[in-house]
Amino acid sequence: MKKGIIFLLLLVLAFSILPASFAHPGRTDANGGHTCRTNCEKWGLRYGEYHYHNSGGSSSSSSGKSSPPSPKSTPKPAPQQSSAPAPVIIPIIAVKSAMVYIQPVQHDDYMIGQVEYGTIAQDHGTVEGWITYHFADGRIGYIPKTVITQYESIQLKNVTVQVDKAYVFAIPSASGSANGSLTKNTTVQALGKSGEWYYISTTDSQGNAIKGFLSGTVAW
């Protein structure tokens, strides 16, 4: 009888310590639990997870647990700056009357017409030293580039003559021939610009048409 009681006590004692034998290593605290640090995945736990050995419950603990790295934000590409539009260059006849030739040869026998000052002479060909000019009636001729000047197209702008007499030149230079003059306080509309020179088309005080370049030093 006494042997049976001893066997029973040993059996109860074995069952009381059995859960601890199947638990993973590590000391428990006063609450009967601890934080997993070794082979956590093997026991179905996360590293740093606090759990109890006596009840099987677990709770996450921030103690000693490293936070997951925050995802790196992808830098936004810098907005592309829109490039400024290319300037519009206007080539024009720079003499009172330019000869047009049927071939790129300056000879009276090849002349087929004339073009007056200020006519736009946009090149339609690739002959070096010549503008390939198209007449309105469909004819094609050649004008030497030596009688061509140009200006950059701008938004229409009013400028006023600030001196007693301002000359209007055929080219954007005081060395060119004068196409006329304007008196002080005359306001004209500039169609284009070449350096400090304005290209204008207006009438003078006598009502005569006048085209050419007006210096920005005498009108603004």
Side-chain angles (χ1 to χ4, degrees), residues 10-219:
L10 290 174
L11 191 62
V12 170
L13 181 61
F15 275 103
S16 65
I17 64 173
L18 186 61
S21 66
F22 284 99
H24 66 86
R27 295 181 179 181
T28 58
D29 56 21
N31 296 319
H34 72 159
T35 301
C36 181
R37 302 292 186 193
T38 307
N39 298 327
C40 301
E41 293 79 5
K42 177 181 177 181
W43 307 103
L45 301 171
R46 295 189 303 274
Y47 180 81
E49 182 177 352
Y50 184 88
H51 60 283
Y52 298 94
H53 276 212
N54 54 0
S55 63
S58 65
S59 63
S60 297
S61 171
S62 60
S63 174
K65 184 178 179 181
S66 57
S67 301
S70 58
K72 293 182 179 179
S73 58
T74 304
K76 294 183 179 179
Q80 289 186 339
Q81 295 182 349
S82 57
S83 57
V88 178
I89 304 300
I90 309 296
I92 62 170
I93 301 299
V95 294
K96 185 175 181 181
S97 183
M99 305 300 179
V100 185
Y101 303 92
I102 195 168
Q103 292 184 20
V105 178
Q106 286 183 267
H107 194 284
D108 291 346
D109 292 343
Y110 296 108
M111 190 180 72
I112 59 173
Q114 299 181 13
V115 183
E116 67 178 8
Y117 178 86
T119 301
I120 295 176
Q122 193 69 50
D123 193 9
H124 295 280
T126 57
V127 180
E128 185 177 356
W130 292 80
I131 291 291
T132 304
Y133 182 75
H134 288 204
F135 287 96
D137 59 8
R139 293 178 299 154
I140 298 176
Y142 298 90
I143 303 173
K145 288 186 176 180
T146 54
V147 299
I148 301 294
T149 190
Q150 62 186 24
Y151 62 85
E152 179 183 338
S153 179
I154 62 172
Q155 187 174 0
L156 298 180
K157 177 180 179 179
N158 290 332
V159 295
T160 303
V161 175
Q162 306 293 325
V163 296
D164 292 335
K165 190 175 185 179
Y167 287 96
V168 180
F169 294 93
I171 61 176
S173 170
S175 64
S177 59
N179 289 349
S181 61
L182 300 172
T183 57
K184 189 174 183 178
N185 296 326
T186 301
T187 298
V188 294
Q189 195 172 65
L191 307 176
K193 199 171 184 184
S194 178
E196 65 175 15
W197 293 81
Y198 292 108
Y199 179 73
I200 65 167
S201 178
T202 185
T203 55
D204 59 18
S205 56
Q206 283 76 43
N208 301 315
I210 181 172
K211 295 179 181 179
F213 293 88
L214 182 64
S215 175
T217 62
V218 298

